[in-house]
Amino acid sequence: MKRPRPFEGHYALMLTIALAALVPYILLTTAADFYGQNVTKDIGIDAQGLAIIAGIATAGYCFGALLGGDLINRIHQHRLFMACEALFVVGALLSGFAGGLVMYGTGRVLSGFATGLLLVVALPPVIQNFPASRMPFSAAFINIGFFGAVTAGPLIGGVVAATGLWRWLYFAFALIGGIAIVLSVLTLPKQEPVNPDLPFDRSALILGLGATVLPFWGAEELTGHGFTSPWFLAPMGCGLVCFAAMLLTEYHKKEPLAPVKQVVSTFPFVGILVAMSGGGVLVALLGLATQFRLEVTGLSPLETGLSFWPQVVAVVIAAVLVAFVLRTRYLPVLILCGMVLLVAAGVLEASRSTDGGTAMPLIVAGLLGLGAGTTVAPGLFLAGFSLPSKVIGRLFALIELVRSVVNFVLAPVVLKIARLVSDGQGLTAGGLQLATWLTVGMTILAIAVGLGIYLAGTRRLPHPDLEAWLGQGKTAVNSPELGARWRSG
C-alpha cells in the first residue's frame, strides 16, 4: 500500500514551493546591475562581460521554459522538480564561490536555465490541480512573486552593493532552493505525466535555442559596440530569423510544442501583446530611471535602490486588484488601465529635472509597480483562458519565450540610444529623457494596436467560466477570430 506524503497536495505549501523556485532568479534580473561593480572588483570581469553573462542567463531562462513545456509531458512532476531545483542550487553555489568569469557565468546561466524549467514544472500544477475558488488567490500571489521580485530587485541590489556581500546573496538563494527540495519531497504528489506520447519537437527546440541565445547575446554586445557593429547585427539578425522560423513551423504542425496556432485569435493575441509590451516597458523604464539616478543625479546604488520602494507596495496593491477582477468581465479594463499607468510613469520620468525633489521619483516608482502588476500577469491569464487548462504549461512556455525576447532586448537598445544621444560623454539627462520619450511612444503604439485588435474582434467583455476551464477541460472564454467584426461586417 502506497504511503501518503505528510503534506501531499497541500495548496499553500505547493504555492510556496512554486514561488520559492521562481523568485530568486527573477529578483536577480533587476538586482544584479546594482552590485555589478562589486563582482567586477572581486573576480575581474569587465562591464561588457557581465552584460553578456546576464543576457545568456536570460536566454537560458527562456529556453528552459520552452524545454520544460516538453519535459512536463513525459516525466513525473515531483522528480522533474527536484532535478531542476537541484540544478538551480548548483548554479547559485557556482556563482557564490566563483573566482573568475567562467565559474560565475556558468552559475548564472545554470540558475536561469533551471528557473525557466521550473516555471513550467512548478507553476501550472498549482493552477490546474485545485478548485476555481483558489484561482484569485493564486493569481494574486503569482503576481506578487513575479513582479514583487522584479520591483524588489533594485532594493536588494542596492543593499548588496553597499555591503559588498554579493556572494552571500547567491548562498541565500542556494539555501532557499535546498529548502524547496525538502518541502517538495513532503508535498508534491506522484502524478503520472500528462502526455507521454507527445511527439518530440526537435525543430522547435533547435530554433528556440537560436531564438533565445542569439538575440540576448547581440543586445548585450551594445554595451561595448554600436548598432552597426557585426557583433550586434550578426547575432541579433540570426536570432530574429530563428524566432520567426520557430513561430511559423510551430503554427503549421499538428502537435506542436508551442501552441502558436491556438493563440491566433483575439483574446490570446491581445494578452500576449500586453505581456510583451507591459513587461518590456517596465524593464526599459526601470533601467532608464536607474541610470538617471546613478549617473545624472549622483545617487549611490543604495540610495537609488531604496528610491524604488513604492514599486513593491504598488505591486501588492495591483495583486489585490487582479484577485478581485479575475473572475469578472473587467480583466481587459484593468489591463488597459495598467498600460495607461505605464505611459503616465514614462511621461513623468521624461519630464522631471535633475533637481525635481524626492516626490517625483517615488510617484514614478509607484506607477511603474501598479502598471506592471496590472498588465503582464493579467495579460497572461487573458491569453490562457482562451485555451484548455491542460495546455497551460506549454502556453506559459510560449508566452515567456516571446515576452522575454522583447523585455530584455528592448532595455539595452533604448539605453544605447540614450548613450548615443549623450554624445559619448557619459549619460546625460537629455539622452535619458529622449530614450524615455521613445519608450513612451512605443507604449502608446502598443495600446493603440492592442485596442484596435480587441475592438476588431469584439466589443464585449468576456466573463470567464473558471469551473469549466479547470474541471471540464473547456476554455474559460470563447475568443473571437482576429478581425471577427470586420469579417461579419
Side-chain angles (χ1 to χ4, degrees):
M1 182 177 178
K2 183 179 123 178
R3 189 174 181 182
R5 300 179 178 204
F7 304 106
E8 185 168 330
H10 190 281
Y11 170 74
L13 281 178
M14 286 186 65
L15 179 60
T16 301
I17 291 169
L19 294 178
L22 300 174
V23 165
Y25 177 76
I26 296 172
L27 188 148
L28 272 180
T29 59
T30 51
D33 289 341
F34 284 79
Y35 60 81
Q37 290 185 347
N38 303 72
V39 178
T40 299
K41 178 181 177 182
D42 289 349
I43 60 178
I45 305 176
D46 61 16
Q48 185 171 351
L50 279 179
I52 293 174
I53 287 172
I56 301 301
T58 305
Y61 169 78
C62 297
F63 182 72
L66 184 65
L67 179 60
D70 178 85
L71 296 180
I72 194 62
N73 291 280
R74 309 177 191 281
I75 304 174
H76 292 83
Q77 185 214 1
H78 70 283
R79 295 175 185 169
L80 191 54
F81 179 91
M82 286 188 285
C84 296
E85 191 64 48
L87 186 63
F88 173 82
V89 171
V90 170
L93 290 175
L94 284 175
S95 294
F97 284 114
L101 182 147
V102 174
M103 192 170 174
Y104 179 79
T106 301
R108 284 290 305 273
V109 173
L110 283 179
S111 297
F113 176 64
T115 304
L117 288 166
L118 288 163
L119 172 73
V120 181
V121 172
L123 203 53
V126 177
I127 295 172
Q128 295 166 330
N129 296 342
F130 293 96
S133 59
R134 301 280 195 180
M135 271 293 296
F137 190 79
S138 299
F141 274 84
I142 289 169
N143 214 355
I144 292 172
F146 269 79
F147 295 99
V150 170
T151 54
L155 279 72
I156 302 298
V159 172
V160 171
T163 59
L165 300 176
W166 63 271
R167 294 183 186 274
W168 288 98
L169 180 65
Y170 291 101
F171 296 150
F173 289 159
L175 178 61
I176 291 171
I179 294 172
I181 291 173
V182 173
L183 288 177
S184 71
V185 173
L186 303 174
T187 305
L188 296 184
K190 290 185 176 181
Q191 293 179 326
E192 293 299 317
V194 294
N195 189 6
D197 297 325
L198 180 73
F200 184 68
D201 199 339
R202 184 180 292 104
S203 64
L205 293 173
I206 293 173
L207 291 171
L209 183 63
T212 52
V213 172
L214 293 173
F216 288 116
W217 171 27
E220 299 300 345
E221 285 287 352
L222 290 173
T223 303
H225 301 92
F227 288 112
T228 59
S229 168
W231 288 101
F232 167 73
L233 292 175
M236 182 62 71
C238 293
L240 294 179
V241 169
C242 289
F243 183 69
M246 190 201 79
L247 295 180
L248 288 173
T249 55
E250 292 298 278
Y251 179 87
H252 291 288
K253 284 185 179 177
K254 185 177 180 180
E255 277 196 271
L257 173 58
V260 175
K261 194 168 188 176
Q262 290 175 275
V263 302
V264 184
S265 64
T266 300
F267 296 149
F269 202 90
V270 172
I272 292 174
L273 177 63
V274 168
M276 287 167 45
S277 55
V281 167
L282 170 67
V283 175
L285 289 179
L286 187 58
L288 292 169
T290 297
Q291 295 307 316
F292 191 97
R293 289 155 174 72
L294 288 172
E295 299 194 35
V296 176
T297 62
L299 295 179
S300 69
L302 178 60
E303 293 170 320
T304 299
L306 293 177
S307 72
F308 287 105
W309 68 262
Q311 285 188 133
V312 182
V313 177
V315 165
V316 174
I317 295 171
V320 174
L321 291 174
V322 171
F324 275 109
V325 169
L326 190 71
R327 302 195 69 169
T328 73
R329 65 179 71 250
Y330 298 108
L331 189 62
V333 177
L334 181 67
I335 289 171
L336 179 60
C337 292
M339 293 296 290
V340 172
L341 288 172
L342 289 175
V343 170
V347 169
L348 291 178
E349 179 64 24
S351 303
R352 77 183 189 91
S353 61
T354 56
D355 56 350
T358 58
M360 188 64 74
L362 298 180
I363 294 171
V364 169
L367 290 175
L368 283 176
L370 278 174
T374 52
T375 52
V376 182
L380 188 150
F381 284 112
L382 181 64
F385 287 161
S386 302
L387 278 70
S389 61
K390 66 180 181 180
V391 300
I392 195 71
R394 288 149 63 190
L395 177 66
F396 275 16
L398 173 63
I399 293 177
E400 280 303 294
L401 175 66
V402 175
R403 183 180 76 84
S404 296
V405 168
V406 175
N407 286 10
F408 294 98
V409 168
L410 178 62
V413 169
V414 295
L415 186 57
K416 186 65 176 182
I417 291 171
R419 293 192 184 280
L420 290 174
V421 173
S422 300
D423 199 25
Q425 301 175 0
L427 278 172
T428 63
L432 286 165
Q433 287 167 341
L434 179 63
T436 304
W437 282 119
L438 179 62
T439 307
V440 169
M442 289 188 285
T443 313
I444 294 172
L445 178 62
I447 293 173
V449 172
L451 195 57
I453 293 172
Y454 192 100
L455 294 177
T458 182
R459 285 185 179 177
R460 68 183 177 90
L461 297 174
H463 196 292
D465 185 349
L466 299 187
E467 284 76 12
W469 189 59
L470 291 171
Q472 302 172 29
K474 299 179 180 179
T475 60
V477 297
N478 293 318
S479 177
E481 293 182 352
L482 291 175
R485 291 182 61 231
W486 291 347
R487 298 183 192 195
S488 62

